[in-house]
Structures are given as C-alpha cells and as structure tokens.
Amino acid sequence: MPISKRFISTSCELDFVLRLEVAMIAVIAKKDLRGLIRDGRLPFVGGLALILLFTSIAAGWRLQSETAAERATVQERGYETWVKQGAKNPHSAAHLGMHVFKPEPPLALFDPGLEPFVGQSVWLEAHRQNDFGFRPAQDATGLRRFGDLSAAYVLQILMPLVIVVLGFDALAGERESGTLRQLASIGVAPGRLLWGKALAIGGASAALLIPALVLSLIATFQAATAGVVADNLARLIWLFVGYSLYLGTFLFVTLAVSISAPNTRIALVASLAIWATITIVVPRAASEAAQAYLPTPSRMDFDSALSVDLDAAQHKAYEENFHVSSWQQLPAEESGRALRIDDHAGYGVFDKHYGTLWDLFERQQRLQEWLGIASPLVALRSVSVSMAGTDLAQLRRFAVAAEAHRRLIQDMMSSERMAHPAEGYNYQAPAELWAKVPPFRFTELESAEAVAHCWKELTALSVAFGLSLLAATVTARRLSPM
C-alpha cells in the first residue's frame, strides 16, 4: 500500500517538533549549567562533594586491601597451627580450636555496612558457640558516632544536599527575577523548562559521579578474584540503579518545591527541611522505634539464659544416656561418647538462642523498613548493604557456616575419642588427624540471591522516584510566572 503524502507530511512535522523540543531543552540545560558554574555553586559545592567521594573510595580501597590480606593470612596461620599441633588428646585440640574470618567482599570498600559494628571473626572452640569478635568500631574514636566516611555515606547524605543546593532556585529564581514571564511570552512550555532544568542539574550531578564510578570499578575489580568478577559487576549495576532512583527522587522533589515556592528563600528552606527529614529524622526515628518496640537483650541476659538452658539440656542428656547427672560421674572409657552427647545436647540450645537473636535482628530491620517508608534512604540502605555483601543476611550466613564448621570439628574429635575408649583421657591422637579437618571456606550469597532479598526496597525506590516525577510534572503544568 503506497504511503500517502499526508502521512509523510505528518511524520515530518512530528519529527520537526520533536527535534525542536529536544533542542529547546538542551538550550535551557546549557544555559543553567553555565549559570551553576558561573555563580560558583557547581565548582565549590560539587568539588567538595567530589573530593569527599574520592577520599572515601581511596580510603575504603586501602582499608579493604589491608584487611582482606590480614584476614586471609591470620586464618591461614591459624589453620597451620591447628594442623601442626602434634600428638594430643582430641578434646584438648578441640579446646584449642581456630579463628575463622569473614572474607571482605570487594564492594565493602563502597559500603562497609554492618561489619565495623558486628565483627569480623569467630573463634571455633569446644562446647561453645561464640559471637563475632574484632569489631573495628570498638577501636574507633568518638568521631565515629558521626558516621563512617564511605562512598555510600557521601552518596546517601551529601549528594542529595548537593542537588538541593544546585536546584532550589531552578524555577523559583526564574520567577523572582522575572525571566519566567519572558520565557512564557516566547512560548517556552513549562514541561520543556522542567526537563531542561532537570537535565542541567542531573548532568552536573552525573559529572561529579562518573569519575567516582570509574574509580569504584577499578578498585572493585582489582579486589575481586577471577571467579566473582561477573557477580560483582551485576552488584554494581544494581547499586547504580538503586542510587540513580534515590538521587533522581531528590532531583524531582527539589524541582517540584522550586516550582511551588513563591520565592527562593522559601524554596531553600523547604528543600532543606525535606532533605533533613528524609536523611536524618525518619531513619533515626525508625531505628529508635524499632529498638524500643523490639528491644535487643543485653549481653548479660543473653548469656545467662543460654547457660541455664545449656545446663538443663546437658543434665537431661546425661540422665537419659548414662543415668548420671554430670560427666564427673562417668567412667573414663565413656568420655568420648559423653563428649559427643554433650555437644549434641548443646547444638539445639545454641540453635534456639542464636536463631531467636538473628530473627529478632531481622524483625527489627523489617520494622525499620516499614516505619521508614516515608524515607527512600531507608530502602536505599537495604539495597546498598545487600549489594555490597555487608548486610545482615550475609553476616547470618557466615555465622551459620562458622558454627557448622565448629560442629564438624567437635564431631570428628569426639569420634576419635570414641574409637579409643580404653585409653580414656590419656589417649593421644596422631598428628595426621588434624589435617583431616578441612580449612574453613565461606561462600557468599550470589548477586541474584541478594537482589531477591531486597526486591521490596527496589520497588519502594521506584515508587518514590515515580511519585517525585509525577509531583514535578503536575506542579510544572500549573507553573505561574507570577
């Protein structure tokens, strides 16, 4: 069927209009970008943010390199000490135990998440499941209460402030200076004005972030081993998506405020109030409310309840299996079987108490997310730590893996004692036994599993971005030059 001349003419007209729209938006964006450079806001405020971003990434890169090497070396030497301990009673060897360290994920240099506060290693010893140890926050100065200077902190707290400073007068300033009336008189549609302003501020922000993104890519791939490069690339892409939605939300909220405010002073105050509410007030209030509604037991209360249940489980196990109330009443030839029964009686108690504690942490986190639904920062933090591999799910996974390895060691040592009942407490196991215990290996969650853990937060960020875009578009349609 031949294409009619009218159809061709209409297509050409639409193409011309589209080109005109794009050209006009580009002109507005260039004019605003020049203005941001000329009045010093972009060089000064943006430059300061860029310096902080580079400093945080470089500091994270150095720290990540050092700690990753230290953890690997200490764990390797600990295993060597275990293997080379010579002939020894298996139960004594189990008490020696070993320290295992959570591997530092490459993206921890971007967002260290919970690791500085929870700990890095676990001591695997006989009879006892231990907590995490070596918390960097314990050795920190009082300045740490103001937050770690990480790339995630700069992007979550400071970059939205940069957007507010760059964009608070985008349209309020045009109205105040009278240029908005001039633009309306020459036929500049409010929608073109909005997108031109958004392009200028978004372009300025992107210009600040692209060098930092390149440095993050180099640092991440330098830290990643060959087998996890693709997985870390996927994590970086999701981080880029999450932070783009978050910063885009601030961009369009700032423009909507600038359109609605009668003057630049009110636009600045309102934008700063929104920034403080989203980044400080709501996340802090949600955290305090979660702790108040679901309080974490004190260390003393937790240990006390654990000890009571352990003693009860052990007494019950001794009575059921040996008809005695304690191991001191057992003959030496039963010591191997008694150790195994004692350990297995404790496994259920540890699972109950530590499982309840981890469940409580997860419920606190979910409550914070619900309470913080008014703040996209709460959702972004979950996405950021999940993609960086420094979230609660990753820490719980490591704790479970470490405990499984401890139980493997305990069961192997008990079995060796049970195989030589006649020698009782005097049995000396050959040195070859220790090498049969495999080195501890921890496999992190893959990126697809991490995304599955935080799809609700990604949805919340998308909704927040969509609402901010809708607010800016609706207010732009009602834009008045007066």
Side-chain angles (χ1 to χ4, degrees):
M1 179 183 293
I3 301 174
S4 68
K5 290 182 179 180
R6 185 175 180 181
F7 178 79
I8 294 174
S9 174
T10 305
S11 299
C12 290
E13 286 174 5
L14 286 173
D15 184 60
F16 174 75
V17 170
L18 183 61
R19 287 173 182 273
L20 187 63
E21 292 268 349
V22 172
M24 193 169 290
I25 290 171
V27 168
I28 295 168
K30 284 179 184 175
K31 175 253 176 190
D32 273 37
L33 203 52
R34 281 198 296 270
L36 291 173
I37 296 172
R38 194 180 303 121
D39 65 17
R41 272 184 289 175
L42 183 57
F44 182 72
V45 180
L48 192 60
L50 189 60
I51 289 171
L52 286 173
L53 201 52
F54 268 105
T55 304
S56 61
I57 294 173
W61 190 355
R62 182 188 62 80
L63 185 64
Q64 202 272 347
S65 303
E66 290 177 356
T67 54
E70 285 174 0
R71 292 182 191 190
T73 302
V74 172
Q75 183 164 310
E76 185 179 343
R77 289 182 179 174
Y79 184 70
E80 287 178 5
T81 303
W82 167 267
V83 170
K84 295 178 180 177
Q85 56 188 321
K88 183 185 281 186
N89 185 284
H91 188 58
S92 300
H95 274 287
L96 171 67
M98 64 179 73
H99 285 276
V100 294
F101 287 79
K102 181 181 178 298
E104 181 94 318
L107 285 170
L109 66 90
F110 176 83
D111 190 345
L114 301 174
E115 291 206 353
F117 305 95
V118 176
Q120 304 172 350
S121 74
V122 176
W123 179 28
L124 310 182
E125 62 166 337
H127 309 309
R128 190 82 186 177
Q129 178 176 349
N130 288 310
D131 293 327
F132 284 82
F134 297 101
R135 300 177 179 90
Q138 286 180 327
D139 303 323
T141 65
L143 290 174
R144 194 155 203 157
R145 71 185 62 179
F146 297 104
D148 287 317
L149 180 62
S150 65
Y153 178 84
V154 174
L155 292 179
Q156 291 171 5
I157 306 297
L158 300 183
M159 269 312 289
L161 188 58
V162 171
I163 290 174
V164 167
V165 172
L166 295 181
F168 75 94
D169 64 342
L171 289 138
E174 300 277 10
R175 184 189 294 112
E176 208 169 58
S177 63
T179 52
L180 191 58
R181 186 182 300 174
Q182 296 174 2
L183 290 169
S185 68
I186 60 174
V188 177
R192 294 174 194 161
L193 205 53
L194 172 67
W195 285 109
K197 302 288 183 183
L199 185 60
I201 302 167
S205 304
L208 299 174
L209 296 180
I210 287 174
L213 179 64
V214 172
L215 183 60
S216 296
L217 277 169
I218 295 171
T220 300
F221 289 123
Q222 190 273 338
T225 56
V228 297
V229 168
D231 190 74
N232 277 280
L233 181 59
R235 289 174 181 272
L236 269 175
I237 291 172
W238 281 110
L239 278 174
F240 178 78
V241 171
Y243 278 91
S244 298
L245 290 171
Y246 175 68
L247 296 176
T249 301
F250 266 97
L251 169 61
F252 285 108
V253 166
T254 303
L255 288 175
V257 171
S258 186
I259 293 170
S260 307
N263 56 56
T264 54
R265 185 185 302 172
I266 293 178
L268 179 59
V269 171
S271 298
L272 287 176
I274 293 172
W275 169 80
T277 302
I278 290 177
T279 60
I280 299 172
V281 177
V282 174
R284 185 68 184 174
S287 174
E288 293 297 329
Q291 175 62 26
Y293 184 69
L294 297 170
T296 306
S298 67
R299 178 61 183 264
M300 183 179 294
D301 291 341
F302 179 81
D303 286 345
S304 175
L306 182 64
S307 296
V308 169
D309 284 356
L310 272 178
D311 288 342
Q314 287 165 354
H315 284 305
K316 183 180 178 183
Y318 284 133
E319 287 175 356
E320 287 179 353
N321 290 278
F322 304 106
H323 306 294
V324 298
S325 59
S326 68
W327 64 271
Q328 290 92 340
Q329 300 169 321
L330 293 172
E333 58 271 20
E334 289 282 16
S335 58
R337 195 163 74 92
L339 284 172
R340 174 179 284 268
I341 290 171
D342 182 279
D343 284 334
H344 281 257
Y347 292 163
V349 177
F350 287 124
D351 288 342
K352 173 189 169 187
H353 283 266
Y354 279 97
T356 302
L357 188 62
W358 283 110
D359 288 344
L360 176 62
F361 290 152
E362 290 179 352
R363 289 170 60 203
Q364 287 179 341
Q365 183 176 330
R366 285 197 295 272
L367 183 58
Q368 280 187 54
E369 289 165 359
W370 277 110
L371 294 174
I373 199 165
S375 168
L377 178 57
V378 177
L380 178 69
R381 279 180 174 165
S382 294
V383 174
S384 185
V385 294
S386 293
M387 291 302 112
T390 55
D391 60 331
L392 191 61
Q394 199 75 265
L395 290 168
R396 184 171 188 172
R397 182 182 175 92
F398 172 75
V400 171
E403 176 60 11
H405 200 69
R406 186 186 77 85
R407 294 179 184 183
L408 172 68
I409 296 172
Q410 299 310 306
D411 289 348
M412 289 179 69
M413 298 302 106
S414 300
S415 298
E416 183 69 13
R417 283 283 301 273
M418 290 169 64
H420 303 83
E423 298 173 64
Y425 297 110
N426 297 321
Y427 173 64
Q428 300 289 300
E432 293 77 21
L433 174 64
W434 322 127
K436 293 180 181 177
V437 175
F440 176 72
R441 295 282 184 266
F442 174 63
T443 306
E444 296 178 354
L445 284 172
E446 293 186 354
S447 57
E449 296 173 280
V451 172
H453 271 104
C454 59
W455 68 267
K456 292 192 293 275
E457 289 75 19
L458 285 167
T459 304
L461 286 171
S462 303
V463 170
F465 176 76
L467 289 175
S468 68
L469 180 59
L470 181 64
T473 307
V474 169
T475 50
R477 287 178 182 171
R478 300 172 183 171
L479 186 61
S480 167
M482 299 302 293

